[in-house]
Amino acid sequence: MMKKIALVLVVLLAGCKGNAQKKETTVPTDTKTKTEFAVVKSDAEWQKQLSADAYYVLRQAATETPFTSELLENTAEGTYVCAGCGTPLFKSETKFKSGTGWPSFYEEISGNVAYDVDYKVGYKRTEEHCATCGGHLGHVFDDGPEPTGKRHCINGVALAFVPKSE
Ligand code: FE
């Protein structure tokens, strides 16, 4: 009889432990997704808000076809902001002609761009995204011009341009 009770207890304890572990692995993941970025929207909301191309780049980390961005040849003074949430990301004075077919900047607006690493093309690249909404912007390389030596290679469709007010 004691043996039977002991066995039941072991089963119950094991069951609790199993549930507790399951909770531990799922809860932090959910919390992280919700608190990582100041602007959080569901996939359906982003799809509704953004053009198909912008959604594909910002939310699916796609790369736009080079030489297709309206902003590529833009030389007006102003600020390039996130097309998803409006956060200022790059200043026009840091834009340069890289010849790659993507809008390029030598410096980000500090604190508004966040970085990650991806191996999508088989080698290590530094991915960059909007620090406010997490929208994918492009990649940064170490072959840019002075004064930083950085080349922020950005998908134009991930950006909106706000001209400097007169
Ligand atoms: Fe954003």
Side-chain angles (χ1 to χ4, degrees):
M1 183 63 186
M2 279 307 284
K3 215 174 183 181
K4 201 171 181 185
I5 290 169
L7 189 67
V8 169
L9 275 173
V10 166
V11 170
L12 283 173
L13 283 171
C16 287
K17 200 181 168 208
N19 280 340
Q21 275 178 341
K22 202 174 173 189
K23 228 173 182 177
E24 267 170 30
T25 53
T26 53
V27 168
T29 315
D30 291 348
T31 310
K32 195 184 171 198
T33 315
K34 280 173 189 157
T35 57
E36 198 173 9
F37 300 109
V39 171
V40 176
K41 293 184 184 188
S42 70
D43 205 45
E45 286 173 312
W46 283 122
Q47 240 172 325
K48 202 174 164 188
Q49 179 196 322
L50 301 168
S51 70
D53 287 347
Y55 171 79
Y56 199 41
V57 169
L58 283 164
R59 307 315 307 180
Q60 304 286 319
T63 298
E64 73 184 7
T65 308
F67 300 102
T68 57
S69 172
E70 289 169 19
L71 296 173
L72 186 60
E73 302 295 330
N74 183 34
T75 54
E77 270 184 70
T79 307
Y80 293 85
V81 305
C82 174
C85 74
T87 296
L89 301 172
F90 301 97
K91 290 177 183 169
S92 59
E93 54 264 41
T94 68
K95 192 171 187 275
F96 70 96
K97 275 199 173 195
S98 64
T100 58
W102 291 284
S104 302
F105 305 84
Y106 63 72
E107 190 173 46
E108 82 283 32
I109 294 177
S110 184
N112 291 358
V113 175
Y115 298 92
D116 209 345
V117 169
D118 84 36
Y119 292 87
K120 277 186 178 175
V121 289
Y123 57 88
K124 186 179 172 180
R125 290 185 303 174
T126 303
E127 184 270 354
E128 55 188 301
H129 53 272
C130 172
T132 307
C133 73
H136 170 72
L137 303 172
H139 294 85
V140 60
F141 302 93
D142 290 325
D143 56 9
E146 293 297 319
T148 63
K150 298 286 181 191
R151 171 171 60 93
H152 295 261
C153 186
I154 305 300
N155 292 283
V157 77
L159 302 171
F161 181 68
V162 180
K164 190 179 175 182
S165 48
E166 304 305 317

